[in-house]
Amino acid sequence: MENNYHVPVLLNECLEGLNINPSGVYVDVTFGGGGHSRAILDRLGKEGVLIAFDQDPDAQRNKIEDPRFKFVDQNFSFLKNNLRLLGYRQVDGILADLGVSSHQFNEAERGFSIRFDADLDMRMDQQRSLTAAKVLNTYSEEDLHRIFGLYGEVKNAKSLARSIVTARLEKEIKTLGDFKQVIASHIPKGKENKYMAQVFQALRIEVNAELEVLERFLEQSAEVLKQGGRLVVISYHSLEDRPVKNYIAKGKFKGEVDKDFFGNDVKPFRVITRKAIVAGTEELKNNTRSRSAKLRIGEKL
């Protein structure tokens, strides 16, 4: 079955999680194809407002013609400042779907997919100077070992890094074809797709500073949500899910929850989802993208 990247993941669960007030102000920080945004607008009344963020030029083609809709051409790590520029200090709900969008996967020249032989780009924001090719051709062996091990959980990360550093002395690694040639001997037989997906994930996270961006966004979401407002986040791998889970549960990314003088927990959210919500049988059958999706919800205290 073809990947349905344009189909919104866990749509009904997201809408329920947001607990939408028809006259409220909501933010979709990962607009992409606009599936979640359109469904939120359907539940808003005349007074309601939806603000959508996306730094990808392709996402702008999907902008919704609706007086209640506002589009921000920015990374969601600038959430707070951009909301203030629009005149909103607080909002009723925030949705983030952290998956890579359909456009990024389906357009060969973006370099996100292992299906096409294209330049190794992988930038979500085309203004950034760091590309996947630059990472492969300029990072030290130690740094390559670190990102493949940490961000891709690649088992042979150390020998993979060594092969890349050796190969690039003879020839620059520019395209997916070049890269596959260099690492061919490291790819386990029968697990080619899984291995390449892990390696690509590591490069994508590094190029886009995804984990730092996610942490900045989570901290700002706690500042801009009204009391009783909801934060709804879909993640696709443990590196994303862990900070989301920790921040909603504890108000921090590591360590135990802080206490006040009287021993009460000091944290911005009440956990709505003790366990992450995952896709049901029907959605798994119709939308392959939902297979690894985990949804977590927090309510601002």
Side-chain angles (χ1 to χ4, degrees):
M1 187 196 281
E2 195 178 307
N3 276 335
N4 295 320
Y5 288 110
H6 62 288
V7 179
V9 170
L10 294 165
L11 179 60
N12 292 328
E13 293 85 347
C14 286
L15 295 172
E16 273 177 44
L18 284 168
N19 196 20
I20 293 170
N21 164 10
S23 57
V25 178
Y26 292 86
V27 187
D28 178 354
V29 297
T30 48
F31 179 66
H36 286 111
S37 280
R38 285 183 174 81
I40 293 168
L41 278 170
D42 286 345
R43 295 206 174 188
L44 290 177
K46 279 188 201 156
E47 305 299 311
V49 173
L50 177 67
I51 301 156
F53 280 68
D54 209 303
Q55 65 190 351
D56 195 315
D58 293 327
Q60 298 198 37
R61 299 177 203 163
N62 305 316
K63 278 199 263 192
I64 302 164
E65 290 301 321
D66 188 308
R68 302 167 301 165
F69 178 77
K70 301 176 192 295
F71 185 83
V72 180
D73 174 18
Q74 286 278 345
N75 184 291
F76 60 56
S77 66
F78 304 111
L79 174 69
K80 184 177 162 185
N81 285 349
N82 279 286
L83 288 178
R84 289 202 166 172
L85 285 170
L86 290 171
Y88 298 98
R89 285 189 171 268
Q90 291 200 300
V91 299
D92 296 276
I94 300 171
L95 169 69
D97 176 355
L98 303 175
V100 179
S101 80
S102 54
H103 311 289
Q104 291 161 347
F105 263 116
N106 292 332
E107 297 204 1
E109 66 273 15
R110 300 299 299 276
F112 281 100
S113 176
I114 56 177
R115 290 178 291 154
F116 310 109
D117 185 20
D119 285 348
L120 290 159
D121 189 318
M122 295 196 198
R123 290 172 298 169
M124 289 184 184
D125 176 2
Q126 297 285 283
Q127 306 302 311
R128 284 178 81 91
S129 60
L130 186 66
T131 64
K134 202 177 240 186
V135 170
L136 292 171
N137 289 295
T138 65
Y139 274 33
S140 68
E141 187 178 322
E142 291 75 20
D143 282 340
L144 289 171
H145 176 199
R146 176 182 58 80
I147 67 165
F148 289 128
L150 189 63
Y151 299 158
E153 294 165 326
V154 176
K155 288 201 165 61
N156 56 4
K158 192 177 175 73
S159 55
L160 175 66
R162 186 171 300 131
S163 292
I164 291 165
V165 170
T166 307
R168 74 190 189 194
L169 293 171
E170 288 181 35
K171 182 183 171 227
E172 195 179 348
I173 303 164
K174 288 184 177 175
T175 66
L176 176 60
D178 296 341
F179 188 40
K180 277 185 170 171
Q181 262 185 318
V182 169
I183 69 170
S185 63
H186 296 274
I187 303 173
K189 292 281 178 283
K191 293 186 177 172
E192 290 85 357
N193 282 351
K194 186 186 178 198
Y195 186 83
M196 288 304 292
Q198 287 174 293
V199 168
F200 262 47
Q201 174 180 296
L203 288 169
R204 197 194 75 224
I205 288 172
E206 178 65 20
V207 166
N208 298 291
E210 287 180 30
L211 299 180
E212 294 95 315
V213 162
L214 175 58
E215 289 187 2
R216 287 205 298 272
F217 156 68
L218 290 167
E219 288 168 342
Q220 289 173 59
S221 71
E223 292 180 56
V224 301
L225 275 170
K226 289 177 184 167
Q227 189 176 350
R230 294 283 184 90
L231 173 66
V232 176
V233 184
I234 306 170
S235 57
Y236 292 83
H237 53 78
S238 59
L239 289 170
E240 290 173 339
D241 183 49
R242 203 173 299 126
V244 173
K245 180 183 177 181
N246 286 342
Y247 197 74
I248 290 176
K250 303 173 184 176
K252 56 203 292 194
F253 302 110
K254 289 189 178 77
E256 289 312 304
V257 66
D258 291 331
K259 305 273 187 189
D260 68 11
F261 180 75
F262 301 102
N264 302 310
D265 288 353
V266 179
K267 56 180 195 166
F269 291 105
R270 177 169 75 88
V271 176
I272 300 295
T273 44
R274 290 277 159 222
K275 281 178 72 175
I277 296 169
V278 295
T281 317
E282 193 62 28
E283 179 164 8
L284 289 169
K285 196 169 70 182
N286 296 324
N287 187 1
T288 52
R289 189 171 174 245
S290 68
R291 276 185 307 215
S292 54
K294 284 186 172 180
L295 173 67
R296 294 193 187 272
I297 304 165
E299 185 175 276
K300 179 71 185 291
L301 290 167

